[in-house]
Amino acid sequence: MLMGDAVFFLASLALTLYIRQDFTLRPDIWEKHRIPFLWLFLIWILCLALGDFYNSRKIGINFQRVGKLLVVFLIWIFLSLIFFYFSSLFLIAPKLVLAIHAGILCT
């Protein structure tokens, strides 16, 4: 399940950049966003793990689990904003990319 999430996160980033860059995926743009978003994906996986979403005994959908996923998703968005806007590690501030990416992950 963890490997599937990693593949999904990278594919969603590629789709996000493809949409954002007028339906082209340029290697320079990919390289600029890849490392910062890999850190975000690690944070997302940590949030999912802390929310107990990798527990194979709790597979299934119910209202409590959906609500918990929504809370984890909102925490991830908040941490992502902090990560990009208060960190000087990376030279990008992907406001629209982050919004598109959140929309893709939400669906």
Side-chain angles (χ1 to χ4, degrees):
M1 194 148 100
L2 187 60
M3 189 56 113
D5 281 350
V7 169
F8 177 74
F9 292 150
L10 288 173
S12 66
L13 176 60
L15 180 60
T16 299
L17 294 175
Y18 181 75
I19 291 169
R20 175 65 177 103
Q21 299 300 320
D22 296 325
F23 301 99
T24 59
L25 186 57
R26 296 188 350 230
D28 60 321
I29 299 295
W30 172 257
E31 284 302 313
K32 194 184 294 186
H33 287 79
R34 184 177 52 94
I35 298 298
F37 274 88
L38 283 175
W39 283 105
L40 281 184
F41 299 155
L42 289 174
I43 293 169
W44 180 230
I45 287 171
L46 179 64
C47 288
L48 288 172
L50 291 173
D52 203 26
F53 283 94
Y54 289 116
N55 186 347
S56 62
R57 293 177 295 203
K58 294 185 179 181
I59 293 176
I61 297 175
N62 58 39
F63 288 115
Q64 181 182 10
R65 199 154 164 85
V66 170
K68 193 176 185 181
L69 183 61
L70 179 62
V71 169
V72 168
F73 186 75
L74 291 174
I75 290 170
W76 179 75
I77 291 292
F78 178 72
L79 292 174
S80 298
L81 291 172
I82 289 173
F83 178 78
F84 277 120
Y85 296 107
F86 295 112
S87 171
S88 60
L89 295 173
F90 306 106
L91 300 176
I92 61 172
K95 298 175 190 95
L96 187 56
V97 170
L98 190 58
I100 294 169
H101 193 257
I104 289 172
L105 288 179
C106 191
T107 55

